[in-house]
Amino acid sequence: MSRAAQVANRALTDPGARPGPSTADPVWVALILKTVMHRLRTCAARLRPLTSSQTAKNLSQQRPAATPRTFQPVRCFTAPVAAEPFLNGTSSNYVEEMYYAWLEDPKSVHKSWDIFFRNANAGAPPGTAYQSPPPLGVSLTGLPPPQSLVGAQPNVEKLVEDHLAVQSLIRAYQVMGHHNANLDPLGISCVNFDEAPVATGFQHVGFYGLEESDLDKVFRLPTTTFIGGEESALPLREIIRRLEMAYCQHIGVEFMFINDLDQCQWIRQKFERPGVMQFSLEEKRTLLARMVRSTRFEEFLQRKWSSEKRFGLEGCESLIPALKTIIDKSSENGVDTVIMGMPHRGRLNVLANVIRKELEQIFCQFDSKLEAADEGSGDVKYHLGMYHRRINRVTDRNITLSLVANPSHLEAVNPVVQGKTKAEQFYRGDTDGNRAMSILLHGDAAFAGQGIVYETFHLSDLPSYTTHGTVHVVVNNQIGFTTDPRMARSSPYPTDVARVVNAPIFHVNADDPEAVMYVCNVAAEWRATFHKDVVVDLVCYRRNGHNEMDEPMFTQPLMYKQIKKQKGVLQKYAEKLIAEGAVSRQEYEEEIAKYDKICEEAYSRSKDEKILHIKHWLDSPWPGFFTLDGQPKSISCPSTGLPEEDLSHIGQVASSVPVEDFTIHGGLSRILKGRGEMIKNRTVDWALGEYMAFGSLLKEGIHVRLSGQDVERGTFSHRHHVLHDQNVDKRICIPMNHMSPNQAPYTVCNSSLSEYGVLGTSCFNLSELQSTNDGDLMQIFSQASEIKIFFVSYLYGVEDPFRGHLSVPLWVVCTGFELGFAMASPNALVLWEAQFGDFHNTAQCIIDQFICAGQAKWVRQNGIVLLLPHGMEGMGPEHSSARPERFLQMCNDDPDVNPKVTEDFDVRQLYDCNWIVVNISNPANYFHVIRRQILLPFRKPLIIFTPKSLLRHPEAKSNFDQMLPGTHFQRVIPDDGPVTQNPPEVKRIVFCTGKIYYELTRERKARNMESSVAITRIEQLSPFPFDLVRAETEKYPNADLVWCQEEHKNQGYYDYVKPRMRTTINRAKPVWYAGRESAAAPATGNKKTHLLELKRSLDTAFNLDAFKDHI
Ligand SMILES: Cc1ncc(C[n+]2csc(CCOP(=O)(O)OP(=O)(O)O)c2C)c(N)n1
């Protein structure tokens, strides 16, 4: 930013700068002069006489809802306006304001202005239109009549300056009033604004150039404030009082950084209008009842299980009414599905009192004697999720609430919640998020500290990721475990991260439940109005230690001395309402007794539970996919092959531009032509294999969504799923959406540069959408023509509806939509591709916590596919390894158990595993594994190490014959060359996986060893194909066994494969290693070393004497 811009910016945003940056600053002076000249010119032009029609037109354009007034132009300015002493650069805006206000109603401006404008209109020469202002008093009436022009004392300059000072003061409150708000219930405030003091309040008027004597003068209010209500002018004393009420009580509003004026005005209106914070008797009583539930729930748990960890809500009990208010308001605005994510603090309370999980189900989680009914690890009670559809009592409308299960890793659930919400919206055609929304809860330390918060915020306005506004609620108890905020963050508030997306932040003292309710209402309305994120910062405290067993006095003695003295918020609020007469003490006590009884009864029922079912805690049931017992409908997988016509047809789409008048890049034309040639020759490369897989699933009604960095083109420029018109900006075409009129939509989206956030977002399972069924969808889509257009534009892909205009005739739109819809199924294929495989490690938490162990912990399946480009290509330590060893190390199959091979062994193995890991060497097998992912009767995550140089390798091509009906994914690809002619003569089997296969075959040929060494590819590493590997070893009884890999010995697959191969052959032979030595880095940065290492590996693999000394 230039120096001048910085100064201007400071002047605009920093009210503390008024009376102004130093005039000694030359940049400032230059800037002001420039502004003055411009404003004087425009001001002069505007003050010129207008015709009555011009006046009416200008007035209606410039001032809202003005009463038309006939203006008689009399005066003509001939002298420069600058001759008027008060017209300087900083006042011209204000003068304009006054002038237009005076035009509307002369009484609405101060008498001195009235006189000035009248005199000016009467033709007073420049410099003489002013008169000394009449004395200002409390009363505006009884002003003396206008003085004559002769002998007028131009004292207006001071008046204008005072008005400007008042404007600055008002702005100071709007920008920084929250610094002075009483937000901390403990009164020890952790927010330190020492370096940015705010001069507000009666005692600081001098800072703005005002005097105490000005307090009772009346000032006209600018249009950027609503404190006046119906009044357009107020005495300064009252202005300050109202600003204090709006900005410096229990609510601190941070919003002036938002760069949209309408949004700022909207917020000002919500907080400044006098009397906004008034609640009906019924609202107060409901609020009290909610506070009772929230407080008594924790007390009940404490009484019954005093030594159990539950991460109670004590100190922030108003969280429950806060969430309920957001939900009520959103329901009123049409939302019927709320997806929530939250950490440990108060989670059980939210489950009980917001989602309304049966209390007995919660209570029996505390019973350590109950056995688990489900397979897998299960999870602790404050991580489990929940899904519940019920009637919202306030609005009397249906609402589905789900709380997504999460790991301990704070904030990791955020993108998962967003992904699930996006899927809900997508499948219902809820294009603006009017029906489904997300609420995310945060702890203050985690919100400030975890980078995923920032990553998720940055998804909030991206077309393929937006959920059209999330309400964030921070339980800001001013401590993180034992760490003070001053050691935990560099920003004054924990919420500053939200400013990057212009989300307003409402800080509120959580000990004032009415203030909490008010900001929550505004937050929900904000989301409904602007479809943007908003943050509610509940400033509270934590009554106990981090958990109930923890001693907080060790580390925060003073804070906790204060907390011990602190009266509970329920008690304070109840006393307030009793004092007001809103509720009687007896009613209050009855409310408590009623809820305690509910808890006691549920507690008795919980004793009858004999077994714990994690299934009862599913956040996303999957209706119709499994049997009623939750089992797959079969343990088999049909052939994943396709008829030749389908392959040809998809190939044709992949090699053409399916819209007219669309000019593609010359290089791309050549690529498409090459694809056409391959199709004619019945062959496919990697890109075409992928096309065949996606295209066929789309034709079968499966929605496919591929996201990741630069996936539309493909990092290696091989994919080209989105074509760009070279002549028309932003005109694109997605041929995959031109497959057939009744296909499912294809979503391919370049993502933000985030792995954690984006992969997390993809981590939802589209098939789990609970609140949507086909009937619902049919109804929604058949009613909403604009949604049809939205959907069909997806189907036809002529213009992505998120990005451009539609160019399909309407009849095609409607037909396509209906057919496409009729073909839709609850299943979807969701793929995330890393730019290079190693970048997945920045998403490690999502991989470890959700993908690897999600089913074991939360009995929920997930079919996500990870595409991880991998391979040693001499590119250095980065960009080479997708770290297969890590994925393999987390597989749950036992290396020492030789499994019994049954008829359905291959599918059963898949059913039992936690994820599938493959490294595929040809396009046909890639095609099959992708299709198998959907044709299986259950879902498992699939990790694919994808190639780089193989994308264009002349030998890494497949034939249509490998993809026809009856063909399957090949878990192992045996050698079908000369070795098969005389197997007993074969001296060695080299087992390998992935790209090195091509290096091995080339080397074997060069060494003329094609009859003596068999090369077997293990394409599915995990679950390990024990049966097929055994068959291979049995085929060549005299061969020794070698595992060859291009990765270093301590990396790659060796440690996973070796013990399993040994188990397969009952440890009858050793399994030798040929490959790079152990190393710290995944690959060398030196090309020569790279080639040398490869040569050594191949030498070892083909040296039949290499291991003689080892025996
Ligand atoms: C990513 C991550 N790092 C560390 C932890 C360990 N941990 C659990 S709770 C906690 C403090 C969280 O403080 P805050 O976010 O303010 O929430 P509070 O417990 O105060 O409600 C920490 C550090 C964790 N769960 N997740």
Side-chain angles (χ1 to χ4, degrees), residues 281-291 321 328 394:
L281 188 63
E282 199 189 331
E283 284 171 326
K284 289 182 181 186
R285 291 167 71 99
T286 303
L287 180 53
L288 181 71
R290 289 174 171 179
M291 289 298 301
D328 292 346
V394 173

Side-chain angles (χ1 to χ4, degrees), residues 344-345 408-410 443-446 450 477 479-481 542 546:
H344 49 285
R345 182 79 51 218
S408 207
H409 295 59
L410 295 167
D444 52 322
Q450 291 289 305
N477 53 25
I479 190 167
F481 209 147
R542 192 187 69 193
H546 174 60

Side-chain angles (χ1 to χ4, degrees), residues 29 60 116 136 154 201 260 268 292 375 513 551 564 598 617 637 749 760 777 779 816 865 927 946 955 966 981 995 1009:
V29 172
S60 65
F116 166 65
L136 289 169
D260 180 305
R268 287 180 187 125
V292 164
E375 289 171 11
E551 174 50 87
K564 277 183 190 152
I598 290 172
W617 295 77
C637 182
C749 40
L777 276 176
Q779 210 184 4
V865 180
F927 157 86
T946 56
E955 287 166 44
Q981 283 156 21
K995 172 170 82 72
M1009 296 177 81

